[in-house]
Amino acid sequence: MFDKGRSKEDVFRDLNVFHNMDMKYSSGRILGSMCTKPDPVGLEAYKMFIETNLGDPGLFKGTALMEQEVINSLGNLLHLKNPCGHIVTGGTEANIMAMCVAKYLYEEENEGTPELILPKSAHFSFKKVLSMLSVKPVYVPLNNEYKIDVTKLPDLITDNTMAMVGIAGTTELGLVDDILEISKIAKSYGVYLHVDAALGGFIIPFLNYKNNNQLNFDFKCKGVSSITIDPHKMGLAPVPSGGIIFRKKKYLEKLSIKTPYLTKDKQTTIVGTRTGASTAATWTLLNYHGMEGYKKIVEKVINLTTYTYNKLNKNKHVTIIHKPELNIISFKVDNIDVDTLQKQLQAYGWIVSLAEYPHVIRLVLMPHIKKEHIDEFLVDLDIIIQKNR
Ligand SMILES: Cc1ncc(COP(=O)(O)O)c(C=O)c1O
C-alpha cells in the first residue's frame, strides 16, 4: 500500500494488466476446470446482492428467504421434501460440513477414533477433513470400473465407523458410484452416508428427467444422509456457490452455534460472514432456466462429450480409460507419457489436467467449450502425436 492513494485511472490500468494475465473461459482453451463462465443473468443478480451478509440474516431477510427457497429447490431436485442446508463457498466446505455433522453424531454414542470409509476416487477435500477432524481413513477398494467395490464395504464397517462417502461424479473420471447399493448397506448398518455430487448434482437429474433418472444417486436412496451439490460447477453460478443438503433438520442443527451479537441467535455454518450474492445468483438461475433450461444445458454438454469421445476413440494412438458417464473424458496416448503430453498440449495453448488414479489426461467438457474448440484441440493432439513418432 502507498502512503497516498493513486488515481482510479492509474489503479485500473494495473488492474487491466492483471486481468489480461488471466485465462478466459471464453477462449475455449480451459479443458480441465469444473468451473465455467458464469451465466450473465446470474451475474446480474450477484452484483445486485453484493453487499448482503448471510452471516447476519436478520439484516438481509429477503436474501435469507431466498436461501431457504434455493435449499428447497435443490432438495426437491434431489428428491427430498423437507431439506435443510446452506449455500456455501463450494464442494470443499460442503463436504467438511457434512463430515462435521457425521462426527458430532458419532461422538454422541462413541469414544474411539472415528473412521471414515471412502474411496481413493474421493476429492482431496476429504483429505482436509481427515486432518482437520482427526478422522482415520478406511479406503474401500475400487472395482475394475474405477467405482467403489460395494461388496467390500460391509467388512470395513466397525464400531468406530463415523460415515461412508460415495461419489456421484468423480473429480478425475466423472463416474457415478452405485449409490443405491451403498445406501442399502449404510441403512442396514446404521452408518451415516454422504454423497458428493458436487459435479453430478447439476447433471444427473437432467440427463433423462422425464423418464425417471437412470442413475439413482440422491435422497431417493433411503440411506443417504447428506449431499453436496455445487451451483458453481454445472449450475453456471458465479464462484463461490456450493451447496450442502441434509436429509434431517437435526443433522444441520449439530452445527448450531450461538451468535450473541448478531441479529439472529444462531448460525449453522462453518464460516461467519458469508455472501448472499451466491444465493441470489443461484436462486435467479434456478428460476430463469428451470428444469427445461438445465436439461438443454446438460444435453449440449453431454452431446459434445459424446462427440469428443467418438473422435478420440477412432484415433488408434489413443486409449480411453472409461466410457464417459457425465462430462469428463480421460485418456492416454501410446507414444507420449502423460506429463509430457500435458506440457506439449500447453505449448499449443490447451490447458488439460491430469488424473492421479489412473495417471491420465482428463478433459472436462464444461459449457464454455464449443465443438469448434474440440475440433481445433483434436487437430493439435494429432500433430503432437505425429511429431513424437
Ligand atoms: C466431486 C468433487 N467434490 C468436491 C469438490 C470441491 O469443490 P470446490 O473446489 O468447489 O471446493 C470438487 C471439485 O472439483 C469435486 O469434483
Side-chain angles (χ1 to χ4, degrees):
M1 198 160 24
F2 302 94
D3 279 347
K4 279 191 172 206
R6 300 158 64 198
S7 72
K8 186 179 163 193
E9 211 180 33
D10 200 23
V11 171
F12 271 76
R13 196 174 308 117
D14 281 1
L15 268 189
N16 271 314
V17 172
F18 290 123
H19 193 235
N20 289 336
M21 287 161 74
D22 290 348
M23 284 197 74
K24 309 289 181 297
Y25 289 112
S26 50
S27 68
R29 298 260 158 176
I30 303 177
L31 293 175
S33 172
M34 294 170 114
C35 290
T36 192
K37 194 174 172 61
D39 187 312
V41 176
L43 222 43
E44 233 178 274
Y46 191 94
K47 286 181 198 151
M48 187 172 164
F49 285 80
I50 199 82
E51 71 176 49
T52 60
N53 167 20
L54 279 176
D56 204 357
L59 298 179
F60 305 100
K61 293 195 173 91
T63 313
L65 190 58
M66 262 195 295
E67 187 182 38
Q68 249 326 301
E69 290 195 24
V70 169
I71 295 305
N72 283 338
S73 298
L74 294 182
N76 294 345
L77 183 70
L78 301 171
H79 295 101
L80 185 63
K81 275 214 182 83
N82 297 305
C84 310
H86 286 294
I87 293 302
V88 295
T89 53
T92 300
E93 192 184 342
N95 287 339
I96 293 171
M97 283 173 76
M99 294 300 97
C100 279
V101 167
K103 191 176 182 208
Y104 294 152
L105 288 167
Y106 170 85
E107 285 171 345
E108 282 176 357
E109 294 178 8
N110 302 277
E111 287 185 345
T113 302
E115 296 173 2
L116 174 63
I117 302 177
L118 76 169
K120 266 215 171 82
S121 51
H123 182 260
F124 58 74
S125 48
F126 289 98
K127 292 216 172 107
K128 299 182 183 180
V129 164
L130 299 175
S131 75
M132 287 166 81
L133 303 183
S134 301
V135 169
K136 181 181 158 201
V138 175
Y139 286 101
V140 54
L142 301 183
N143 60 24
N144 54 11
E145 293 272 294
Y146 299 100
K147 299 184 185 194
I148 288 178
D149 184 344
V150 180
T151 62
K152 299 283 195 306
L153 275 176
D155 285 346
L156 300 177
I157 297 171
T158 69
D159 288 345
N160 289 345
T161 302
M162 163 195 112
M164 295 196 293
V165 172
I167 323 286
T170 55
T171 311
E172 298 203 325
L173 306 182
L175 302 176
V176 182
D177 286 324
D178 187 348
I179 303 297
L180 185 58
E181 284 309 309
I182 298 170
S183 144
K184 283 180 191 161
I185 294 167
K187 194 152 177 60
S188 70
Y189 285 83
V191 174
Y192 186 103
L193 171 60
H194 175 66
V195 174
D196 184 354
L199 174 69
F202 263 95
I203 300 179
I204 302 166
F206 306 108
L207 284 178
N208 199 8
Y209 82 91
K210 277 194 176 145
N211 311 319
N212 280 331
N213 298 326
Q214 68 276 48
L215 290 168
N216 282 302
F217 78 106
D218 62 17
F219 290 107
K220 265 201 289 189
C221 308
K222 299 283 182 255
V224 173
S225 302
S226 50
I227 299 183
T228 291
I229 171 172
D230 280 357
H232 72 198
K233 294 189 170 72
M234 278 298 295
L236 307 188
V239 171
S241 306
I244 177 70
I245 310 289
F246 291 98
R247 182 183 284 278
K248 296 180 183 169
K249 190 158 187 253
K250 73 168 190 181
Y251 293 164
L252 181 63
E253 285 302 321
K254 289 283 153 217
L255 298 175
S256 182
I257 292 286
K258 279 207 167 74
T259 51
Y261 69 92
L262 298 175
T263 49
K264 293 274 174 182
D265 60 359
K266 65 172 187 186
Q267 277 181 359
T268 46
T269 46
I270 291 177
V271 297
T273 300
R274 63 191 178 98
T275 182
S278 304
T279 285
T282 305
W283 185 95
T284 302
L285 292 173
L286 292 175
N287 280 275
Y288 178 69
H289 289 297
M291 292 294 286
E292 290 289 344
Y294 275 113
K295 188 174 185 246
K296 282 189 192 135
I297 292 161
V298 166
E299 223 165 57
K300 260 196 191 163
V301 154
I302 296 297
N303 286 343
L304 189 59
T305 308
T306 308
Y307 173 81
T308 313
Y309 167 75
N310 288 337
K311 289 273 185 184
L312 283 171
N313 212 19
K314 278 193 195 129
N315 187 328
K316 62 178 191 301
H317 302 295
V318 171
T319 305
I320 296 190
I321 303 309
H322 197 292
K323 193 163 187 226
E325 290 185 345
L326 303 179
N327 59 338
I328 298 183
I329 306 177
S330 45
F331 69 94
K332 55 186 179 177
V333 303
D334 58 6
N335 61 333
I336 316 168
D337 76 78
V338 166
D339 302 87
T340 307
L341 179 56
Q342 184 195 31
K343 285 195 192 93
Q344 296 195 1
L345 283 167
Q346 189 164 351
Y348 277 75
W350 300 104
I351 307 299
V352 299
S353 59
L354 299 182
E356 199 177 15
Y357 182 72
H359 192 49
V360 287
I361 299 280
R362 155 185 181 274
L363 305 180
V364 190
L365 284 292
M366 293 299 285
H368 60 269
I369 299 163
K370 311 286 176 233
K371 181 174 167 293
E372 55 267 29
H373 301 132
I374 291 299
D375 288 337
E376 285 172 33
F377 171 78
L378 294 170
V379 168
D380 288 347
L381 178 65
D382 261 340
I383 293 172
I384 291 170
I385 292 173
Q386 294 314 324
K387 270 193 177 165
N388 282 271
R389 295 213 82 75

